[in-house]
Amino acid sequence: MANTNLQFKTNYEVSSKIEPFYKGGKVQISKDENYIFCTCGSRVNVLEISTGKIVHSIEHDDQEDITSFALSCDDELLVTASRALLLKQWDWKQAQCTRSWRAIHTVPVASMTFDSTSTLLATGGCDGTIKLWDVVKQYCTHNLKGSSGVVHLVEFHPDISRLQLFSSSLDCGIRLWDLSSSQCVCVLQSHYSAVTSLSFSSDGDTMISSGRDKICTVWDLKTQEAKRTVPIYEAVEGVVLLPQKQDFSQIGVKSEDLHFVTAGSKGVLRVWEVSTARCVYTQTLPSTLSPDSEEEEEKDDDPRSLVYLIHLPASSRLATVTAEHNILLYQLPALTTQQQFVGYSDEVLDVKFLGKGDSHIIVATNSCQIKVFELLTNSCQILYGHTDTVLSLDVFKKGFLFASCAKDRSVRVWQMDSDSGQVHCVAHGSSHTNVVGSITCSRMKASFIVSGSQDCTVKVWDLPEDLSTTGGEIHQLTAHSTEKAHDKDVNSVAVSPNDKLLASGSQDRTAKLWSLAGEGTVALLGVFRGHRRGIWTVCFSPVDQVLASSSADGTTKLWSLQDFSCLKTFEGHDASVLKVIFVSRGTQLLTSGSDGLVKLWTIKTNECVKTLDAHQDKVWGLHASRKDDKMITGSTDSNITVWVDVTEVELAEEQAKQEDQILKQQELSNLLHEKKYLKALGLAISLDQPHTVLTVIKAIREVEDSHKLLEKTVLKLRVDQKESLLRYCAVWNMNARNCLNAQAVLQVFLTHLPPEELLQYQGARTHLEGLIPYTERHMQRIGNLLQKSMFLNYMWQKMRVAGAPSGMGQDEEMDTTPFEESQPLFMIDKGKEKGSSGEKQDGDDSDSGQDEDPNCPIKEEEEDDDEVSATKKASTNIRQAENGKHAKTNGNHHSESEESSDEEDQEERDQMTVKAVKCLPDSSTPQCQTLTS
């Protein structure tokens, strides 16, 4: 299959993530305008505006939902309130809690705010009370009672010298509190619905309040009376007074009178003139699509409705928060969209790469909008057009044109401007009679799209040739071919790489192959049968005549396009396999399932080479980049993950590592040649190769006066190098060939390092305990070998003495001094008597063969026993001859007594000894049998 010379992918790593960071609640922007603070369940997330990344996440230990929070005006302190009735003060830059205390409120805190000095904190509770806290001296300064119901709004007057606090609760009145007397000065009555926000003029004498009763009220704080009521004709959630003496002519400000901006249920910003109560500017919707009807324009539950409006004076910007948890930044004075962040995407149903170099991704979520994310900044465009949930997306070959389909029974084609990155709708088609669940684009050029629907049909839509030069016009598409393809919902459609074939997968458990060659016709070529449940995805191989399908039965199958037979079946997911795509030029597959896993398969070996624990829920979105170096996944857990193929990176790192090791080996060889042993040993340890370190130790021990050189070299090593060397010694000591080198290094450690220092080495206790059993085994083996060598000593003496001429002088005898000196060290058989006869000593040597030696074969031990037996018999015959004419002599010095014997006795002994020696190599020979008889 395909090109087998390709390097298979083996692993993917997470490159970036787009996660939910805001699910409703309060939003606040730092005074330096670099960070956005927003609640997300039990956390307060801190979003960096420049990168769109979450840089900090503040969470209570008890994981209780955070009901409110406030950031001090100097951006230093963050205080949060949870359902556990605890207030916590945070050093948010370090994500550390510095103080916590009981809120005293009997029910959760609903609203919080700091004063302009960042020393006073006001908390409004659901119990109708307001408490003020001195965050420096850490005590409660005021307990204000009198509000009815939940206090959902508290606001300090910007001039702290006035010591005034404003609050609003369920009675829709605005209470003015004098903090010097802790009394409610007055209740400003104007609204008959919840008051949502307050805004103060620069001189502090004028205040504007907004409410969901569709009005804004201008208050004179000197007289504490309403100056004017402005009807807004929509529920107003936020109001901001525009700074005076600035040029806002682009948004309709023509006079020096007070003007304010409102944000509400219609999702647009409006500018109002206070003196005339007239709207002087209405923002254009951030979409190229106009509402289809006047009725739709007037509805109050638009998903783009605004719930917060925040003024950023330092950069002259406005920030808005939509009901769909999107945060938008507008630049004054033109109110141009600068940035947009999606706080919560709900369930992700499909994802695709888009743009030059796959710089963007398009996402279909559980909504009627399509989101286009720029991967570099996480800034997002929201595309409006579909009126119901978007289900599927597909991108044309060049990457700037894509198609979408939705539950509204329609398909749309969108185009991205290659320069600005802005996306707009260029074509629209609707003739399906039920939900359109899948869509695919032509592969050769942008000539047609194919859609599959729950009405069991497949439609082919032709695209106009001048699609890219429409100038904003939306083309109406007409299906030139419609075919009833299946008996149940069509879940997936795919076009072959040459645009001549079409595949469809259905809930009826079958996949079908269709011909697109004829003009205006779709002809059935064959049916693929074998899945036990509905088919979710079909996909053509980019190089072979093979079709892949994934099914709810938990399997992925490869089918031949020639005879429609199943070639291979891949099993590994625990639940439905939702998506399958080809990668590595058709040699591998990527599959995603409802178990949250993404699996990488090699087709040739039918093997899963990598399983990525990508998400916590169904992975509906799976797409590979055009360069095949990245992939993207999207799940119903609301997370979008971009993965990068690290196979090439791993190979490059491995190659670089090998080249580096080769260079270091060469350098090590040079250092050894130059006898720079300390540097050589340090370099060998840095390679973390015990065998290489052993080579250096052997080289040191081969030089003259090696013991002192080894001590000097080892003791000059760093502590971490000594730790590694001790670990290597434990490895070397396991092998009899290397144990002497290990023991030499250990001698240096144990001789020159105090035990308390040695035990501080990492893993020292474990290594030393591991050395003991192997050391004991080596000593036992060496002892056994030395004991057996004493037999050779004895035999050599007997052979030389028995065969020596009678006149041999003392100086011609064998020098047995080394053997005699070493003999006491190994004569350790305490079970024998202390007799000094040669026969008893010979018997001791033969008993030593009973000790087990792991390195000595059993056959050799039996041969040794035979040799010893024959020798004992030979020596007995010799002594019998001696006893006839001489007195009994000491066995250890028998050579001296034998010198004094006469020539006849010497000849007799020589003959008998020769017989015994001939018998020694093989105790089974006839000579040996004759002798023993």
Side-chain angles (χ1 to χ4, degrees):
M1 287 217 167
N3 186 358
T4 57
N5 295 326
L6 286 172
Q7 176 64 46
F8 289 148
K9 299 182 188 302
T10 58
N11 195 12
Y12 285 90
E13 285 186 357
V14 176
S15 173
S16 62
K17 279 190 174 184
I18 300 176
E19 303 174 283
F21 65 86
Y22 172 58
K23 294 183 179 180
K26 185 176 180 180
V27 175
Q28 189 173 349
I29 298 179
S30 60
K31 193 168 186 179
D32 61 13
E33 302 178 6
N34 291 328
Y35 302 97
I36 298 175
F37 293 75
C38 50
T39 56
C40 186
S42 62
R43 302 190 306 273
V44 173
N45 288 321
V46 184
L47 186 79
E48 188 175 26
I49 294 177
S50 60
T51 63
K53 308 292 184 183
I54 299 174
V55 293
H56 301 291
S57 188
I58 311 300
E59 185 172 13
H60 281 222
D61 296 335
D62 53 14
Q63 294 186 343
E64 288 281 352
D65 282 353
I66 293 176
T67 58
S68 186
F69 73 91
L71 179 69
S72 61
C73 295
D74 59 5
D75 294 342
E76 292 297 326
L77 300 178
L78 177 70
V79 178
T80 60
S82 70
R83 293 190 181 275
L85 306 182
L86 278 179
L87 295 175
K88 290 199 172 188
Q89 181 177 311
W90 302 83
D91 178 1
W92 63 270
K93 295 178 181 178
Q94 303 296 328
Q96 293 181 348
C97 178
T98 58
R99 176 182 167 233
S100 64
W101 68 96
R102 300 293 298 179
I104 305 179
H105 292 280
T106 58
V107 288
V109 174
S111 56
M112 301 172 67
T113 189
F114 273 94
D115 74 334
S116 57
T117 65
S118 300
T119 57
L120 286 179
L121 172 69
T123 59
C126 295
D127 55 3
T129 64
I130 302 171
K131 301 185 187 303
L132 269 68
W133 309 83
D134 188 324
V135 294
V136 177
K137 298 181 180 179
Q138 303 181 359
Y139 69 97
C140 181
T141 62
H142 297 75
N143 186 14
L144 309 178
K145 298 180 179 180
S147 301
S148 59
V150 177
V151 180
H152 59 264
L153 176 65
V154 286
E155 194 76 36
F156 283 98
H157 192 283
D159 185 1
I160 193 60
S161 62
R162 298 193 185 190
L163 291 176
Q164 291 179 340
L165 177 73
F166 296 85
S167 68
S168 181
S169 59
L170 289 181
D171 59 8
C172 306
I174 302 173
R175 282 178 167 76
L176 173 58
W177 302 86
D178 182 5
L179 300 182
S180 59
S181 62
S182 298
Q183 298 296 321
C184 178
V185 176
C186 66
V187 180
L188 306 178
Q189 297 285 358
S190 172
H191 296 276
Y192 57 88
S193 186
V195 177
T196 54
S197 68
L198 304 175
S199 183
F200 298 88
S201 62
S202 56
D203 59 9
D205 293 334
T206 303
M207 180 183 74
I208 296 182
S209 62
S210 64
R212 297 195 179 109
D213 51 9
K214 302 185 179 182
I215 64 171
C216 287
T217 304
V218 183
W219 302 91
D220 187 344
L221 296 183
K222 291 182 178 179
T223 62
Q224 299 171 358
E225 293 180 353
K227 291 169 45 175
R228 180 177 293 277
T229 298
V230 181
I232 306 299
Y233 309 110
E234 66 173 328
V236 184
E237 297 291 339
V239 62
V240 167
L241 269 167
L242 288 175
Q244 293 180 292
K245 299 181 180 179
Q246 290 190 24
D247 182 13
F248 293 108
S249 58
Q250 294 186 47
I251 52 175
V253 177
K254 305 297 184 183
S255 65
E256 295 181 358
D257 191 18
L258 282 177
H259 290 75
F260 61 91
V261 183
T262 60
S265 59
K266 291 186 178 179
V268 295
L269 299 178
R270 301 175 189 264
V271 181
W272 302 81
E273 189 176 39
V274 170
S275 59
T276 62
R278 182 171 57 91
C279 178
V280 297
Y281 178 80
T282 301
Q283 182 190 26
T284 304
L285 291 175
S287 171
T288 58
L289 301 174
S290 301
D292 294 336
S293 64
E294 202 68 26
E295 182 179 344
E296 182 180 350
E297 185 179 8
E298 292 298 329
K299 69 179 182 179
D300 290 339
D301 58 348
D302 193 297
R304 289 171 286 185
S305 62
L306 304 177
V307 295
Y308 277 98
L309 177 62
I310 305 169
H311 184 219
L312 307 179
S315 59
S316 188
R317 290 185 294 179
L318 291 175
T320 64
V321 182
T322 71
E324 288 200 328
H325 316 305
N326 303 323
I327 302 173
L328 295 88
L329 299 180
Y330 297 102
Q331 185 66 56
L332 290 171
L335 282 183
T336 55
T337 304
Q338 190 181 57
Q339 282 179 287
Q340 184 166 237
F341 302 105
V342 176
Y344 182 63
S345 293
D346 204 354
E347 297 181 353
V348 179
L349 303 181
D350 204 359
V351 289
K352 291 290 188 295
F353 282 104
L354 182 72
K356 184 178 181 180
D358 298 318
S359 58
H360 295 68
I361 60 172
I362 49 175
V363 184
T365 63
N366 192 23
S367 70
C368 57
Q369 291 86 43
I370 299 173
K371 299 177 175 66
V372 183
F373 289 91
E374 184 182 11
L375 291 177
L376 187 62
T377 63
N378 277 5
S379 184
C380 177
Q381 298 176 57
I382 298 180
L383 308 180
Y384 298 90
H386 288 287
T387 57
D388 206 341
T389 304
V390 179
L391 297 177
S392 182
L393 304 166
D394 198 21
V395 182
F396 286 90
K397 184 177 181 180
K398 291 185 178 180
F400 292 99
L401 201 66
F402 67 94
S404 63
C405 63
K407 287 184 178 181
D408 61 6
R409 308 176 184 179
S410 71
V411 297
R412 288 183 178 269
V413 179
W414 309 78
Q415 188 173 47
M416 169 183 275
D417 185 272
S418 59
D419 297 326
S420 65
Q422 295 299 310
V423 180
H424 58 278
C425 182
V426 294
H428 169 259
S430 57
S431 63
H432 279 287
T433 60
N434 208 332
V435 173
V436 186
S438 61
I439 196 165
T440 184
C441 301
S442 56
R443 298 302 168 205
M444 300 293 288
K445 61 179 182 178
S447 57
F448 65 91
I449 59 175
V450 181
S451 60
S453 170
Q454 289 184 9
D455 61 13
C456 303
T457 65
V458 170
K459 290 182 180 288
V460 181
W461 310 77
D462 284 333
L463 299 184
E465 294 182 0
D466 59 346
L467 193 62
S468 60
T469 59
T470 57
E473 179 186 355
I474 298 179
H475 288 270
Q476 294 299 317
L477 300 179
T478 303
H480 83 262
S481 179
T482 301
E483 185 72 28
K484 185 181 184 303
H486 292 272
D487 297 330
K488 292 185 179 180
D489 302 354
V490 180
N491 292 330
S492 177
V493 288
V495 174
S496 63
N498 61 2
D499 286 348
K500 293 183 179 180
L501 298 175
L502 170 68
S504 61
S506 170
Q507 201 66 27
D508 64 7
R509 307 179 186 179
T510 66
K512 294 185 178 182
L513 186 67
W514 308 84
S515 171
L516 294 176
E519 295 183 2
T521 59
V522 176
L524 179 64
L525 298 178
V527 181
F528 305 96
R529 292 185 175 90
H531 282 294
R532 300 185 304 275
R533 298 188 66 182
I535 295 176
W536 285 118
T537 309
V538 290
C539 180
F540 282 98
S541 168
V543 292
D544 294 325
Q545 294 185 14
V546 171
L547 180 76
S549 64
S550 64
S551 169
D553 62 10
T555 66
T556 301
K557 291 181 180 290
L558 286 184
W559 308 87
S560 170
L561 299 184
Q562 296 178 345
D563 57 8
F564 310 105
S565 62
C566 179
L567 301 176
K568 290 193 175 184
T569 300
F570 302 89
E571 296 179 325
H573 287 278
D574 296 331
S576 298
V577 184
L578 304 177
K579 285 290 177 71
V580 57
I581 58 174
F582 285 89
V583 292
S584 304
R585 296 186 185 176
T587 60
Q588 290 181 295
L589 291 175
L590 279 171
T591 60
S592 65
S594 56
D595 53 8
L597 302 178
V598 174
K599 290 181 177 289
L600 175 64
W601 307 82
T602 298
I603 295 176
K604 185 176 181 179
T605 60
N606 211 38
E607 176 188 7
C608 176
V609 296
K610 188 67 178 179
T611 299
L612 303 174
D613 192 0
H615 296 276
Q616 303 299 318
D617 210 342
K618 302 179 182 68
V619 183
W620 281 108
L622 178 65
H623 191 229
S625 63
R626 287 185 293 277
K627 292 183 178 180
D628 207 21
D629 58 344
K630 293 185 293 185
M631 76 164 175
I632 187 168
T633 56
S635 169
T636 51
D637 63 6
S638 305
N639 291 325
I640 302 167
T641 306
V642 180
W643 306 79
V644 60
D645 175 25
V646 295
T647 303
E648 294 184 3
V649 177
E650 290 174 346
L651 291 173
E653 290 178 351
E654 183 66 24
Q655 183 177 0
K657 184 178 179 180
Q658 292 177 357
E659 292 176 354
D660 183 59
Q661 288 188 350
I662 292 173
L663 292 175
K664 287 185 177 180
Q665 292 285 357
Q666 182 62 44
E667 182 181 358
L668 179 64
S669 177
N670 295 337
L671 290 173
L672 290 177
H673 182 72
E674 297 170 3
K675 298 185 178 181
K676 297 180 179 179
Y677 296 112
L678 180 59
K679 289 185 177 181
L681 187 58
L683 180 60
I685 293 174
S686 69
L687 292 173
D688 196 22
Q689 295 179 352
H691 180 73
T692 305
V693 180
L694 180 63
T695 303
V696 179
I697 296 296
K698 287 180 178 179
I700 295 175
R701 296 190 69 220
E702 289 175 357
V703 301
E704 186 178 355
D705 201 6
S706 61
H707 181 68
K708 291 184 178 180
L709 179 60
L710 184 63
E711 285 185 358
K712 179 181 178 182
T713 305
V714 170
L715 294 177
K716 284 185 178 181
L717 295 174
R718 300 192 310 267
V719 173
D720 60 320
Q721 293 174 329
K722 291 178 182 177
E723 291 176 351
S724 300
L725 191 56
L726 181 60
R727 173 163 53 89
Y728 299 153
C729 285
V731 177
W732 302 336
N733 198 53
M734 296 178 184
N735 192 319
R737 290 175 296 181
N738 304 326
C739 65
L740 295 179
N741 297 291
Q743 295 295 330
V745 176
L746 284 173
Q747 183 182 8
V748 176
F749 280 135
L750 298 176
T751 304
H752 295 84
L753 298 179
E756 55 273 13
E757 179 183 346
L758 191 61
L759 290 175
Q760 289 180 355
Y761 288 179
Q762 184 177 5
R765 187 179 300 275
T766 303
H767 299 325
L768 293 174
E769 289 177 353
L771 284 164
I772 293 174
Y774 284 98
T775 301
E776 290 177 348
R777 186 180 302 176
H778 296 322
M779 294 302 297
Q780 182 182 9
R781 178 177 53 81
I782 294 173
N784 290 340
L785 290 175
L786 288 176
Q787 284 181 338
K788 292 179 180 180
S789 69
M790 297 305 300
F791 169 71
L792 297 178
N793 176 25
Y794 175 80
M795 285 301 303
W796 179 248
Q797 293 181 48
K798 291 296 182 181
M799 291 168 63
R800 291 296 303 271
V801 169
S806 58
M808 184 177 62
Q810 180 70 24
D811 56 342
E812 295 177 352
E813 293 183 5
M814 178 185 67
D815 185 8
T816 61
T817 302
F819 294 92
E820 292 176 355
E821 289 179 354
S822 60
Q823 194 170 9
L825 293 175
F826 298 95
M827 298 300 291
I828 58 176
D829 191 350
K830 296 181 180 180
K832 301 293 181 178
E833 295 181 358
K834 296 182 179 180
S836 58
S837 66
E839 181 178 353
K840 289 185 177 180
Q841 289 186 6
D842 197 15
D844 291 341
D845 288 343
S846 66
D847 290 340
S848 67
Q850 297 175 359
D851 296 332
E852 293 183 4
D853 184 3
N855 296 324
C856 182
I858 296 176
K859 183 176 180 181
E860 293 179 3
E861 293 179 0
E862 293 176 352
E863 292 176 359
D864 291 345
D865 291 341
D866 293 339
E867 292 175 2
V868 172
S869 176
T871 307
K872 288 173 65 177
K873 291 179 173 58
S875 61
T876 301
N877 293 334
I878 295 172
R879 288 184 180 84
Q880 288 177 353
E882 291 177 352
N883 290 339
K885 298 179 181 181
H886 302 283
K888 187 180 296 183
T889 59
N890 188 295
N892 291 332
H893 301 86
H894 62 276
S895 59
E896 296 179 1
S897 63
E898 289 169 352
E899 289 182 2
S900 61
S901 61
D902 55 14
E903 295 180 0
E904 293 180 357
D905 294 334
Q906 182 66 38
E907 292 176 358
E908 184 179 355
R909 288 197 299 270
D910 289 347
Q911 294 176 0
M912 298 181 68
T913 301
V914 168
K915 291 182 179 180
V917 170
K918 288 182 178 179
C919 180
L920 284 179
D922 188 355
S923 59
S924 63
T925 58
Q927 293 88 339
C928 184
Q929 294 176 358
T930 302
L931 179 64
T932 56
S933 62

